[in-house]
Amino acid sequence: MREAEIRRLLAANLLCALAVVLATVVPAFFLDEFSVLGTHLTWLCVCSVCVAALNIILHLVLKPNQSPKRRSFAHKISRFLKCCIYFSMSCILFHVIIVLYGAPLIELVTETFLFAVLLSTFTTLQCLCLLGPNIQAWIRVFSKNGAMSIWESSLQITSMCSILGAWFGAFPIPLDWDRPWQVWPISCSLGATFGYMAGLIIAPLWIHWNRKQLTYKSR
C-alpha cells in the first residue's frame, strides 16, 4: 500500500474537518449573533453546505475512484440527477428513522429534517461521491471485508462514526439538566459532527497502522 495514497487521504480528511471548523467560526463575522447553540438551524445549513461542497470538490480534484471508461455527457447528467434523487431520498429516510427513534412527529419538523440533511451529508453524500448511485457497491462496501481501497475503508469508518455520534448525542436529551444544548436536535447534531470529525482523523491513522494487514482485491 503506497504511503502517498494514505497521505492524500489524510490531507483530504483534514480539509473536511477544517470545513466543519470554518462553518462554525467564519459565519460569526458576517451574521449577527451567529452561534452553534443560538442559531442552530443556520449552523446546520451552513455546515451541511460547506461539507457537501468540499466533498464534491475533493472528489473532482482527487478522483479516488475514477472509472477507466469515458462517459458521455448524457451519462454524466443522468448520474448527477440520480445522485440528487438518492440524496433527497436519504434525507427523507433519515428523517423517518429519526422520528421512529423518538423525535417529535409534527413539532420541530424543520429541526428534524435539517438534522437528517446533516446526517445525509456526512454519510450518503460521501457514498455518492465515491461510489456513485450504485446501491450494490454501497452494500459491498459496508459488508464485512467489502472495501476495495483505502478511500472505501475511510468511508466505512467516517459513516459509522457519524451515525454512532448522533446516537450517543441523544442520551443527554431526556436528562433533567436544563442545559441549552439539550434542546432538540442540538446534542444529536453535535454528536454526529464530532463523530464525523473523529472518523476523519481515525480512518487514515487506522489504515496506516494496519496497512500491512490490509489487502484490497479487485472484484
Side-chain angles (χ1 to χ4, degrees):
M1 186 181 300
R2 294 183 302 173
E3 289 290 335
E5 192 72 6
I6 297 178
R7 286 196 292 269
R8 280 211 312 164
L9 174 65
L10 176 61
N13 285 7
L14 289 177
L15 284 175
C16 290
L18 180 62
V20 176
V21 175
L22 293 178
T24 305
V25 176
V26 173
F29 294 99
F30 303 97
L31 302 175
D32 295 335
E33 299 180 356
F34 176 86
S35 68
V36 174
L37 299 183
T39 54
H40 190 65
L41 295 187
T42 303
W43 176 80
L44 284 175
C45 295
V46 173
C47 187
S48 298
V49 170
C50 289
V51 173
L54 185 60
N55 268 284
I56 294 171
I57 292 172
L58 288 174
H59 172 71
L60 294 175
V61 172
L62 299 177
K63 299 178 180 178
N65 202 21
Q66 186 180 22
S67 173
K69 298 180 181 178
R70 295 183 62 87
R71 304 294 185 180
S72 65
F73 180 74
H75 179 272
K76 292 178 180 178
I77 293 296
S78 174
R79 180 186 175 94
F80 173 75
L81 293 177
K82 285 182 179 179
C83 288
C84 292
I85 293 173
Y86 278 37
F87 183 78
S88 300
M89 292 173 61
S90 171
C91 295
I92 296 172
L93 179 61
F94 269 122
H95 184 100
V96 172
I97 293 173
I98 293 167
V99 169
L100 292 177
Y101 267 88
L105 177 61
I106 299 176
E107 298 178 350
L108 306 177
V109 173
T110 303
E111 287 83 349
T112 303
F113 183 74
L114 289 179
F115 173 47
V117 172
L118 184 73
L119 270 181
S120 295
T121 303
F122 290 159
T123 57
T124 306
L125 182 69
Q126 291 189 98
C127 293
L128 291 170
C129 287
L130 186 63
L131 306 173
N134 186 344
I135 298 298
Q136 291 182 343
W138 295 18
I139 295 173
R140 171 185 59 76
V141 168
F142 289 99
S143 62
K144 185 177 180 180
N145 300 322
M148 291 167 46
S149 68
I150 62 172
W151 300 92
E152 293 182 358
S153 293
S154 178
L155 174 62
Q156 291 176 335
I157 294 171
T158 53
S159 297
M160 294 306 298
C161 285
S162 300
I163 294 174
L164 287 175
W167 184 66
F168 281 115
F171 280 72
I173 292 179
L175 301 178
D176 189 19
W177 293 348
D178 294 327
R179 295 291 189 270
W181 49 267
Q182 287 180 275
V183 177
W184 173 257
I186 294 178
S187 63
C188 288
S189 55
L190 290 179
T193 303
F194 286 128
Y196 173 68
M197 295 180 69
L200 290 172
I201 297 172
I202 292 171
L205 296 178
W206 182 86
I207 292 169
H208 175 74
W209 289 331
N210 295 275
R211 63 189 183 281
K212 294 182 180 179
Q213 290 77 29
L214 292 174
T215 55
Y216 297 113
K217 297 180 181 180
S218 300
R219 302 182 185 184

